[in-house]
Amino acid sequence: MASQGAQYEGTDGTEDAAPEPPEAAGGSGNGDAKAPDPKVAAAIAAAEAAGPQGSTTVRVDSWIWSVRLVKTRSMGATACRGGHVRVNGERVKPAHGVRVGDEVRLRHEGRERVVVVTRLIRKRVGPPVATQCYIDNSPPPPPREAVAPAGIRDRGAGRPTKRDRREMERLRGVTGPGSVSGPGPVPGKGFGSAPGKPRP
């Protein structure tokens, strides 16, 4: 107990006040003068150390993967090749270099992301650090109620029949390998009848 009391005693023998929590020291507590989390600060320093050495650009497919806009780097390269990534309004290839201040637009998983580059990194970082590397100007995602679920079956309805499956595929706009888009069978020609013989 003496050691606990000693840590609050000043040099003159009086008790000092306990240290203030960060919210009280910062003022309003809304994050205006809030010091960054030490773990986030260390991760940001590591990300800056892993940034481009002696270069002012980073490949766009590597950057959008590093800041967690896509799950894998190959998905980023595929999005670039498909024309879903624009830098400053122009479609770019995966090897295009991005600089600080560039606007990157990415259409991925039915949503458009619009971000402004604030930090260049090459290695993937965690979400708290990734949000420090760009300014997000993306439009808000559509509400869940606006996205109509296609092909949701009632619980306990059993396995869907072939007709149910075709209806679900039609609602989704998917044509599977077994779907027939051409004309139906020729009248009078059954599958079981021999060629040239009339059906009885």
Side-chain angles (χ1 to χ4, degrees), residues 57-72:
T57 62
V58 174
R59 287 176 57 114
V60 67
D61 62 340
S62 176
W63 188 82
I64 62 176
W65 167 72
S66 299
V67 297
R68 306 181 77 87
L69 295 179
V70 293
K71 290 184 180 178
T72 63

Side-chain angles (χ1 to χ4, degrees), residues 1 14 27 39 62 65 68 72 74 82-83 116-117 140 158 161 171 180:
M1 289 295 183
T14 60
K39 291 181 181 178
S62 176
W65 167 72
R68 306 181 77 87
T72 63
S74 62
V116 177
V117 181
T161 62
L171 287 172
V180 179

